[in-house]
Amino acid sequence: MQRTLVKDAHASAEPRDSILLQGWVRTRRDAKAFSFIELNDGSCLKGMQIIVPDTLPGYAALMHRAATGASVEARGRLVASQGAGQKWEVVAEHFAIVGDADATYPLQKKGHSLEFLREIAHLRPRSNLFGAVFRVRSRLAYAVHRFFQERGFHYVHTPIITASDCEGAGEMFRVSTLDAANPPRDAAGAVDFVRDFFGRQSFLTVSGQLEGETFACALSNIYTFGPTFRAENSNTSRHAAEFWMIEPEAAFLDLFGNMDLAEAFVKHLVRDAREHCAEDLEFFSKFVDKQLAARLDFVLERPFQRCSYTEAIEILEKSGRNWEHPVAWGDNLQSEHERFLAEEHFKCPVTVYNYPRTLKPFYMKVNDDGKTVRAMDLLVPGIGEIIGGSQREERLDVLLEAMRAHNLNEKDYWWYADLRRYGTVPHSGFGLGFERMLMFVTGVANIRDVIPFARTPGSAEF
Ligand code: 4AD
Ligand code: MG
């Protein structure tokens, strides 16, 4: 007999004479002539109530073993439920234990702290919260592909191992084939990285952008979606050393077209989650963030705001706030400033653009003022920066000059410069942090709780 998922059983239009469910026991409650078992299989938030009558052979021994966490299967009739909050329940005609779980099973019905659940990252997907988070994560990954594929963007697999530091922040993890105990040394005794992987220094990628640009300058519209790595030792709720990024890149697109694309993309993801993960989002609204539903509605209903970096600085200076990090033209916006702009000033997602050239990587297009570049950051309430992007410098001479200003070796980026040598075009792109997007859609406040196995300082046990 074929297994039915709990989700499909709940969606059944009529009773069924015979149904087979398989999953894990969430709770068991024993009554006089039968036991109630809540069986959960991860297909949806709600478990299915199974009624096991005491007339089943071996009833007492079976119920003794049907403890929270045990895997079980139940075959029986799907019937209308008398209980509140559920349409159907299953009256078991056959019930079996597949795998026992003893009393050390750490997930009990009572609420556990997020910190505790992080320590059992291998079991936390069985909890309501994490089941919901990871169903939404899966759905949104699919929605990412749908959005771009339906718009004619091609998916490009950019490399994980690379020699280039796209963001120039020096936050790269080294990939090495060197024998750490006995590395080759040059004449002066220094470790000889020339003999490292590929005959040069290699790293885990911080961004697929530079390689993505080569494909945009051929296929016109492309996107990447993969893991990226940053060796920043920042212990915040928004930074991970390994995170997933979506990076579209489009030829013949300017900065404002790029902003339009980013806005349509974020709205598409919110709308998709609303439509396809309604039950899970309701759970987040109830137990994680009471403002969530209102915030997501708001995002869908209105156009995002836009303001230049220079205007943003004026707003911050005029705010009369006592900033922890005082801010003036030329300074990086800190999280407190980003959140003020999105949460208190605009009360809406806002794209800040035209940042000082000194704050941004070498590849951004320089504006006519010579001081600013065509950068854009999308800031959202509750999180701050969720997207970073720009129009790229397509003029060879200006690009080479920027490389020198950033102390980059032109020879290392000859292939990148070639894109400007042969048929250069204006082009733009951006990167959306997938985990930050998930935090925004679920209301979950810590990045460690929206990625299956968080790679943050001090968390590599799994
Ligand atoms: O602003 P970033 O560094 O931009 C880039 O990497 C560009 N190359 C993207 C492009 O234009 N193609 O990173 C983009 C986004 C950020 O806005 C943030 O959402 C996320 O990636 N991000 C992180 N997410 C989690 N942990 C970290 N350590 C992150 N660093 C960046
Ligand atoms: Mg950024």
Side-chain angles (χ1 to χ4, degrees), residues 95-146:
F95 187 88
I97 307 291
V98 178
D100 291 283
D102 69 19
T104 61
Y105 183 67
L107 275 176
Q108 298 301 329
K109 180 86 182 176
K110 73 175 167 80
H112 294 288
S113 75
L114 293 172
E115 290 77 12
F116 171 73
L117 290 168
R118 271 174 222 147
E119 286 168 20
I120 49 165
H122 59 308
L123 294 174
R124 70 178 183 169
R126 297 191 195 182
S127 68
N128 277 335
L129 175 67
F130 287 96
V133 165
F134 295 122
R135 276 188 298 273
V136 172
R137 186 175 170 114
S138 165
R139 176 69 214 184
L140 285 194
Y142 178 56
V144 164
H145 288 293
R146 271 195 58 192

Side-chain angles (χ1 to χ4, degrees), residues 266 377-380 383-388 431-434 436-438 440:
V266 167
D377 279 2
L378 176 63
L379 316 177
V380 299
I383 295 172
E385 180 191 335
I386 193 167
I387 280 180
L432 170 73
F434 191 48
R436 292 203 187 161
M437 185 68 208
L438 283 164
F440 186 62

Side-chain angles (χ1 to χ4, degrees), residues 174 178 184 186 190-201:
R174 179 184 298 284
L178 293 182
D186 63 18
V191 175
D192 180 6
F193 285 116
V194 175
R195 287 164 57 192
D196 202 344
F197 202 47
F198 293 148
R200 59 190 291 190
Q201 298 191 54

Side-chain angles (χ1 to χ4, degrees), residues 278-384:
E279 190 192 44
D280 290 329
L281 260 53
E282 226 169 88
F283 175 84
F284 300 132
S285 287
K286 217 158 148 193
F287 296 107
V288 178
D289 177 356
K290 299 240 177 332
Q291 261 83 59
L292 182 68
R295 199 168 62 234
L296 295 182
D297 278 342
F298 190 86
V299 163
L300 289 180
E301 283 161 11
R302 298 184 200 209
F304 294 178
Q305 299 291 309
R306 291 174 185 179
C307 91
S308 71
Y309 169 88
T310 303
E311 288 162 345
I313 294 292
E314 278 166 23
I315 291 166
L316 295 169
E317 281 175 342
K318 281 196 200 133
S319 71
R321 286 291 167 113
N322 210 350
W323 301 111
E324 197 187 324
H325 307 271
V327 68
W329 203 96
D331 293 337
N332 244 326
L333 299 183
Q334 303 293 328
S335 168
E336 58 175 333
H337 309 128
E338 295 180 343
R339 294 189 57 171
F340 175 84
L341 290 168
E343 285 162 28
E344 296 183 50
H345 186 82
F346 291 103
K347 298 191 169 63
C348 170
V350 54
T351 306
V352 180
Y353 61 96
N354 286 351
Y355 281 73
R357 150 177 219 186
T358 48
L359 295 179
K360 293 292 183 183
F362 75 98
Y363 54 71
M364 296 189 179
K365 180 167 173 125
V366 181
N367 279 313
D368 293 341
D369 63 13
K371 289 192 324 203
T372 60
V373 285
R374 289 192 196 170
M376 60 178 230
D377 279 2
L378 176 63
L379 316 177
V380 299
I383 295 172

